[in-house]
Amino acid sequence: METVLVEKKNINEVVELLKQDEVVAFPTETVFGLGVKFGNLSALEKIYEIKHRSHSKAVSLMIYDSQDIEKYAYVNTNAQKLIDEFMPGMITLVLKKKSILSDDFTAGLETIGIRIPDDPFVLLKRVGPMLVTSANISGQETLLNDLDVYHEFNGKLKMIVKGKCQNSLASTVVKIDDDVTILRQGCISEEKIREVLK
């Protein structure tokens, strides 16, 4: 498989490839991501194969508009506070999923991680929801620029969007049910999250 690098301005090519259920690597405001258009299990399977990712680990849903979150998950008061304060931005909320989401798309879990990137690259606006995870081999360091991604994944996926990420940390992951749990400390500190929830 030939892996090509394209500029962000060539978004039409990126969109077309995603609509063909291929995996695309692209920069976000946190770390580089590997993504597919939401809705096709065979496309999602490609991400697991490329990353050598355990099928017990779900892949987050990335969407364009916070108003769409309730299509996929239940939003309680604490979740709404964090949505209002931090989305779009460098946070992933793990929420109880709705039945519209098959267990196949959430690794059998009753929850789904949802993120809305704060990035001028309007890929999600054009493609719709995507399943996205960090562009790295599972368990290894996250990658922050197109050349490192190319070095790691050349021949394993069809397209990499050129760019360099703004941060070296991934998003902060927060699980919200009856309680609020920080699953991964990232760009947004637990202190800031707890302050908003007061």
Side-chain angles (χ1 to χ4, degrees), residues 155-195:
K156 298 176 183 177
L157 69 163
K158 290 191 174 180
M159 185 174 289
I160 298 168
V161 180
K162 291 182 180 179
K164 184 177 181 180
C165 300
Q166 301 168 24
N167 293 280
S168 59
L169 291 175
S171 63
T172 297
V173 180
V174 185
K175 183 178 182 181
I176 303 175
D177 40 35
D178 294 336
D179 200 2
V180 176
T181 308
I182 310 299
L183 299 181
R184 180 180 72 196
Q185 180 68 67
C187 295
I188 298 172
S189 69
E190 180 171 359
E191 183 182 14
K192 286 183 179 179
I193 290 165
R194 299 294 178 192
E195 183 66 32

Side-chain angles (χ1 to χ4, degrees), residues 119-134:
D119 192 300
F121 186 40
V122 290
L123 190 56
L124 292 158
K125 189 174 184 179
R126 293 282 303 275
V127 175
M130 292 176 63
L131 293 165
V132 181
T133 183
S134 55

Side-chain angles (χ1 to χ4, degrees), residues 57-122:
K57 294 182 177 181
V59 174
S60 292
L61 182 67
M62 195 176 273
I63 59 178
Y64 181 73
D65 192 328
S66 62
Q67 293 184 1
D68 290 337
I69 292 175
E70 291 193 82
K71 290 181 182 178
Y72 305 101
Y74 295 96
V75 176
N76 63 19
T77 302
N78 281 334
Q80 192 61 56
K81 287 179 180 179
L82 297 183
I83 290 166
D84 292 342
E85 180 70 22
F86 297 116
M87 286 186 161
M90 297 175 284
I91 193 169
T92 299
L93 299 184
V94 178
L95 306 169
K96 181 175 172 56
K97 67 171 186 158
K98 291 186 173 178
S99 58
I100 189 175
L101 283 173
S102 162
D103 288 351
D104 294 328
F105 287 105
T106 60
L109 302 174
E110 290 298 313
T111 55
I112 180 70
I114 297 179
R115 187 163 110 74
I116 304 173
D118 185 14
D119 192 300
F121 186 40
V122 290

